[in-house]
Structures are given as structure tokens and as C-alpha cells.
Amino acid sequence: MANDESWLDRFVNKLHKKPKPWFKYFGAYILVPIWARLTPVKRLPGGARPAIQPGDNVQSMMNLIMPLKRENRSPIGRAKAALAIAENRDQIFAGLDNVGTVHFARFVIVNDNICMFSFYDGDFTNYIRDFIATIGGAFNDVVKLVEGGDALIPCEENVEAFIQWIHEHDLYQVPDTPTDFLRDQEDLNGDKAVSPVNDDLTLLPRKLVLQLRANANVSLGSGYRAYPGFSVAQVRKKLELGW
Amino acid sequence: MVDASVARRLVDEMIFNLPKHDPGQRPVHTIGVGVDAYFTASDVAHKYCIAEHFSGERICAKVRFSNAPGGPEQHDGRSDVRGMATRFLLPSGAATDLIATTLREFFARDVDDFSKFTKLDKHEPYQRESPWRKILDLLWLKVPRRDPYPGEKTNASAGILSYANQHRFAQLAVFEAKMIGAPVSYVRAAYHAIHTFIVEGENGVRRPVRFSWQPVAGVRNTDPDALPDDDYLRQELDHRLKRWPVRFVLMMTIGEAGDAIDDPTRPWPARRVRVIMGTLTLTGVPKDQATAGERISFNPWRLVRGIEPSGDPILRARRDAYEVSRKMRGGTACPFSNWSCADGE
């Protein structure tokens, strides 16, 4: 920033702010694995956090990433996934209507993953239980295309296993604040802080990098909501949309 | 009530930490600019709060934007917190203030925390980190310390970081302050009132709330790698307001049972109900800055019927500390109300 920099200062600053490809490669493929080995990081669980406050129990996010089976990782496999959703569209939408606590839901194909993103009210387990009970066999056509899905078929008869499987494929939701992210790590790994606390906030970047190595796909923050705090039932009632 | 001697001590501690201090000026947020404005409440505001400025009538207002540091040195382009203090001049002749900063949370829960913080928040020599140390940081997957700004010989970052490392409640505010950047304009930043207030609605329902100003022009910071300009914010605002008015939307977030009501270090979840309470329109930068901002003594406790302070100890301490500071610099007491330090209880 100042103009009394030596060539070495300039070189190092550039390394940091505009790294050359070789340094990016060195960081990604050498430094990060070394630190991952020295300071192992566990995978953080996915899904919305359990909460007792009313506002935290409406408009929760589910970000379900289901990797397609190896034999389906091709345009043909992705077309099969698209077809499985299209053919069962009426059943899926009717099921979501019957669940009654879902604000929005959509299916997306990203690379070789079929994803379901939704906003729902209430408890996650009840949502999935109601979902699979009302959709019945329609979801089997989707699940049979994805890794680990065969063990769940028929889904409507393997409800608990299905709920667990969905939970495992639901993305970790990075908290809205960086310090809550640290607290998530401490909760998972056991807080090793001595009393008095003597943390090192400068390690936050490394902790984030290593966590994103363990959880390659994450949801960033709790998301934006134009009208937070209202359930499907409240919105429908207020807008006189009936039930 | 905070002991007057405690308020005095808090102000003295802040002044003691300043490299330079003019007794006739504010000990913090010294550099600023006053702006003329008016506020118009939204259609729903009065349902949630019966305070006079939410009645829907057009309310004259005075706004003072500021840089957080104390002392006469102006460094607009440095990454730091900014302030937005608003005085609503009510038709009844009373006045009420809303004081906000670009920081979403505070770093102290109470007066004791604040006192401990100020003991570490001391300016120390600040030099460029050696390139070898930076390389070591990069190898440790840390972000190297930023280089000093031109002319920057001291700062308080080491003490503040040390405080945050020892006090988890302070970590969020300290982290966000470190990342905050410099706005391209005072009106391209969002401002948060930090504390919880209790508002009373038309139906007598009392709700805990927190206020934020959202800039209609959007939030935008300067390039952090560019050489910072020490003096641009006032001129930018002046030029902007000569061309067209600028607006902020007042958002009110409603807390729930279990949310941190009395603790300004803890944010509320993003999933709380938000209500648009009104629009503040900035109209111009008056030439007489003494009247427009410098002589106004804002106080977060200057409230009117319909808005009450929560039990937040920092909010309570600010009431008395602001008053002590006003008296020390010979500031004018609010001419629009009979409010005084002792009336707050």
C-alpha cells in the first residue's frame, strides 16, 4: 500500500493478493492436504439447526444433493433423472401440497447430481416423513438413479432409513456469522478451549478452508427471506388462498 | 442507573487512548458531517409503534454521519466503522434520536467489559510485517497482516485482537470491524442501531425490536488494495445531494422470546420478522456545519412515548457517557426537549 516496499514485499503481497497458478496449485494440492493431516477436521452435519424459537422453525432450508450413480454420470443418465422428475411431477406436487408446510421446492441437476432445494416449516423429520408418505412410490424413480439409493427402495416402506439418508445428503448450512461457524466446529470436535479462553482468530481462514475440504458443498448462510417469520399456513390464510 | 463517576471514567479512558484529542470535540466519531433530512413513516409503522415520528406525518430530521475514530485526524479511506446519528424533530416540539453504526454488534456486554476493552484498545507502533513473516502466514493458511496505510505509525489492532481472542462474546464485532472496509459514500453503507428497544404498538402490544438503516443506493466499499483517500466522504455527499436526494429505509426487526434482548454482542437470527418503518430522505449538506451536526448532542436514550430502552447495560451506560462527553466538550443540550441525564430512569 505504501511506496517504500522492497521487491520482496511486492512479490509476497502479489503472492497473497494475485497469486500465480503455481502458488494456487501449491496451496490447494500441497499446503491444504498437509494441514488437513496435521489438524483433521470432521465433516459438519447438514440441515437446519434444531430450534425452539418460532421464527427459527419456519422457512427452514433443505438443500439435498444426490450424486447420480457412476453409470448415470452422462447426458443419458442426467436425462433419465430429468425424466424421473417430469414423469412424477403431478405426484410430487400433489404430495408437497398435502405435506402443507412447504413454501417452495425445486429440482435441479448440477453436474452429475440431482438436487432438491426447498423451504419448509416445522421439524425436518416430520417434513420428510410426510413427504415420503404422501408421494409414495414416485420418489423411487429418482432414488434408484442415485448412489446408495437402491437400499432405500421402496422408500415408503423404509421411512426411517430414508430420513437418515436425506439428512446425510442435506448440505451443511454455514452460519450467518463467522464466529458461529467456529462454535459449530467446537461443538462437533469438543471445545478444547481452556479457561480463560485464548483463541486465535487469525486461524479462522485455515479453519474455513479445511472445513470446506471436509464439506465440499455447503449452503452459505441462512439465506434471504423477504417475509421471514411466517409459515405457509399464515401466508395462505392472510392471502385468503384457502387450504 | 450508571454511576456518574463510572460514565466519566469511561469517557476518560476513551480519551486517554487517543493519540490526539481536542477537548472541544467529540472523543469518538470526531470527524463527521451534518445533513438536513426528513422522515416519512410507512403505512404500517404506526401499527407497530405509536411514537410520534411513526404517525405518517413528514418529520424534519438532522443526520450526522461520522468516522468512528476519535481525534482530529481525518482518514476517510481507511477501513473502519462509520456512524449515522439521526435526530427526529417532532411536530410536538420534542425530539428523539436514533444512533447507528456500520457495525452490527458491539464488543462489550456491559461496563466492565467495556472498561477491560479500553485498557487493551491502545495505540501501539504499527509497522509493515516482514515479507518472511507474511510467507510464514501464507504457509500457515493465515491472512498476512495488512500493510500500514501511508502515514500510519500506530494503531490499536493488536490489543483489540488480543481482547477478542480472550473474550468470545467480542469476537464477532471485532472480526466484522476488521473486515468492514471503507464506504465509497456515507450513503452507500447500512447502519445498525445495535441495541434492543421496546416499542409499543397501536393495540398496546409491546415488542423488542432492533433498527437498521438500509441505503436505497445500495452498499458499496472502496477497493481495499487502492491507496486510501483521506478526505472524500463529505465532498462526495455534498455533490451527490446537489444532484438528487438520497434515501434510507428504516427496517425494524422484531425479536422473539429467547433472543438476546439485553446483550448487544449477540446478533438476532436473520429469520426474524422485519417491518419497513419508513424512509429517510437526505436533502442537503448545510454550510453551517456547527448547527447541522457538530453542536448537536445525540443520545441513544433520547426517546419519546412509544419507544423505551431495553435493559441493555451498554445502552444505559451510553446515556450517561454521552451526557458527560457533551458537558466536557461544551455541547448544546437538546433544545427540543427537557430531557436530561437524570430523566432517563
Side-chain angles (χ1 to χ4, degrees):
Chain A
M1 199 170 282
N3 52 13
D4 58 341
E5 295 173 325
S6 69
W7 70 267
L8 189 56
D9 284 317
R10 282 194 295 276
F11 173 75
V12 174
N13 282 346
K14 208 168 174 181
L15 212 54
H16 167 219
K17 288 172 181 163
K18 290 178 185 166
K20 297 277 187 195
W22 68 265
F23 191 67
K24 288 184 190 171
Y25 183 90
F26 173 69
Y29 296 105
I30 297 175
L31 275 184
V32 171
I34 288 173
W35 280 111
R37 197 176 171 85
L38 291 174
T39 55
V41 168
K42 292 180 192 166
R43 187 172 180 272
L44 280 163
R49 288 165 175 69
I52 53 168
Q53 289 170 269
D56 293 333
N57 277 309
V58 293
Q59 301 185 27
S60 299
M61 278 192 293
M62 183 182 76
N63 305 289
L64 185 59
I65 307 289
M66 299 175 281
L68 293 171
K69 285 177 183 168
R70 191 166 292 278
E71 66 263 29
N72 291 325
R73 293 179 191 170
S74 66
I76 293 174
R78 292 194 287 274
K80 280 186 193 172
L83 205 61
I85 299 298
E87 283 178 339
N88 293 294
R89 184 177 178 275
D90 284 352
Q91 279 172 276
I92 292 170
F93 281 19
L96 290 169
D97 264 342
N98 288 327
V99 169
T101 54
V102 182
H103 291 258
F104 309 100
R106 62 197 176 113
F107 291 88
V108 178
I109 293 174
V110 180
N111 293 329
D112 289 316
N113 301 289
I114 180 154
C115 313
M116 180 183 176
F117 302 127
S118 64
F119 275 80
Y120 64 94
D121 300 330
D123 177 67
F124 171 79
T125 303
N126 289 341
Y127 162 42
I128 300 302
R129 185 174 284 120
D130 289 352
F131 176 69
I132 206 61
T134 53
I135 285 178
F139 217 66
N140 290 335
D141 290 344
V142 179
V143 168
K144 72 181 182 190
L145 300 171
V146 303
E147 273 182 3
D150 289 338
L152 305 171
I153 297 173
C155 294
E156 65 273 28
E157 290 175 21
N158 292 307
V159 175
E160 296 310 316
F162 183 76
I163 290 170
Q164 181 59 28
W165 187 84
I166 295 281
H167 187 62
E168 284 166 7
H169 289 77
D170 195 1
L171 294 185
Y172 167 60
Q173 296 179 13
V174 180
D176 288 316
T177 65
T179 45
D180 279 349
F181 162 68
L182 294 176
R183 305 292 95 86
D184 275 359
Q185 283 193 327
E186 289 152 9
D187 286 346
L188 185 71
N189 298 307
D191 191 353
K192 297 182 183 70
V194 291
S195 183
V197 170
N198 194 16
D199 292 336
D200 183 357
L201 275 186
T202 64
L203 290 178
L204 181 59
R206 187 168 85 204
K207 289 181 175 180
L208 181 63
V209 167
L210 296 183
Q211 195 62 61
L212 288 174
R213 186 177 188 266
N215 293 71
N217 299 312
V218 296
S219 167
L220 297 176
S222 62
Y224 169 80
R225 291 163 183 79
Y227 48 90
F230 293 99
S231 67
V232 172
Q234 286 172 305
V235 173
R236 292 187 73 92
K237 185 180 177 190
K238 194 75 183 169
L239 297 177
E240 299 183 345
L241 297 173
W243 194 247
Chain B
M1 183 175 169
V2 176
D3 189 314
S5 64
V6 173
R8 173 77 199 211
R9 177 168 57 81
L10 290 176
V11 177
D12 283 344
E13 283 172 351
M14 282 189 286
I15 291 172
F16 180 75
N17 285 345
L18 296 176
K20 289 179 197 166
H21 172 60
D22 177 347
Q25 292 192 315
R26 290 175 166 87
V28 288
H29 291 267
T30 311
I31 302 293
V33 56
V35 183
D36 287 336
Y38 63 89
F39 177 78
T40 312
S42 70
D43 291 345
V44 297
H46 65 283
K47 292 181 184 171
Y48 292 90
C49 183
I50 56 171
E52 198 177 342
H53 49 309
F54 295 126
S55 65
E57 207 173 325
R58 183 165 154 158
I59 306 289
C60 287
K62 297 278 184 191
V63 179
R64 182 177 185 268
F65 292 101
S66 57
N67 297 343
E73 288 188 9
Q74 182 168 356
H75 299 292
D76 288 350
R78 292 188 182 179
S79 172
D80 213 327
V81 176
R82 316 289 152 162
M84 177 180 174
T86 307
R87 169 155 299 169
F88 301 89
L89 305 169
L90 306 176
S92 64
T96 183
D97 295 346
L98 183 63
I99 300 178
T101 73
T102 47
L103 203 56
R104 289 191 191 87
E105 296 81 23
F106 204 54
F107 43 79
R109 300 164 301 181
D110 52 36
V111 172
D112 285 344
D113 291 342
F114 189 83
S115 204
K116 284 178 193 156
F117 178 84
T118 51
K119 284 185 173 61
L120 288 172
D121 180 26
K122 289 188 177 5
H123 276 244
E124 291 171 8
Y126 188 75
Q127 293 173 330
R128 182 196 307 279
E129 206 169 41
S130 87
W132 302 111
R133 176 73 226 181
K134 286 184 182 173
I135 289 173
L136 199 61
D137 283 342
L138 292 172
L139 294 177
W140 275 65
L141 301 180
K142 288 180 172 184
V143 176
R145 206 171 74 185
R146 77 164 167 78
D147 288 344
Y149 293 115
E152 184 184 27
K153 302 275 189 255
T154 65
N155 76 25
S157 61
I160 292 171
L161 182 63
S162 157
Y163 178 82
N165 282 337
Q166 292 164 36
H167 301 92
R168 286 192 172 163
F169 59 81
Q171 289 182 354
L172 183 56
V174 168
F175 184 84
E176 289 189 346
K178 195 173 169 58
M179 305 287 290
I180 208 159
V184 296
S185 163
Y186 277 129
V187 299
R188 298 293 304 268
Y191 297 83
H192 313 277
I194 294 177
H195 304 289
T196 303
F197 295 88
I198 310 297
V199 299
E200 184 182 336
E202 267 181 356
N203 50 5
V205 174
R206 291 158 55 81
R207 298 177 175 91
V209 302
R210 288 183 177 178
F211 291 101
S212 287
W213 291 111
Q214 299 291 342
V216 172
V219 172
R220 191 174 173 211
N221 275 351
T222 57
D223 175 1
D225 294 331
L227 271 177
D229 183 351
D230 278 343
D231 185 4
Y232 67 94
L233 286 171
R234 181 173 167 175
Q235 293 90 322
E236 193 281 338
L237 190 57
D238 195 19
H239 291 157
R240 185 185 284 263
L241 290 174
K242 277 179 181 153
R243 284 176 288 164
W244 53 70
V246 166
R247 292 186 172 85
F248 279 87
V249 172
L250 182 62
M251 300 294 289
M252 185 177 81
T253 303
I254 301 176
E256 291 182 1
D259 287 342
I261 305 297
D262 299 340
D263 184 350
T265 66
R266 288 168 56 198
W268 287 354
R271 290 156 69 174
R272 295 292 169 266
V273 172
R274 295 190 307 270
V275 182
I276 295 174
M277 295 298 281
T279 306
L280 181 75
T281 305
L282 309 181
T283 52
V285 178
K287 284 207 169 61
D288 180 4
Q289 279 295 302
T291 309
E294 297 316 297
R295 281 202 208 119
I296 299 178
S297 298
F298 297 95
N299 195 305
W301 203 273
R302 183 170 290 110
L303 302 170
V304 288
R305 184 174 162 268
I307 308 183
E308 293 168 22
S310 61
D312 181 343
I314 291 291
L315 178 58
R316 189 166 289 247
R318 283 176 78 186
R319 174 192 65 184
D320 300 322
Y322 276 55
E323 187 62 5
V324 166
S325 167
R326 178 190 70 78
K327 286 178 181 163
M328 286 170 78
R329 68 188 172 93
T332 317
C334 177
F336 300 98
S337 73
N338 295 323
W339 184 90
S340 74
C341 191
D343 294 330
E345 282 295 316

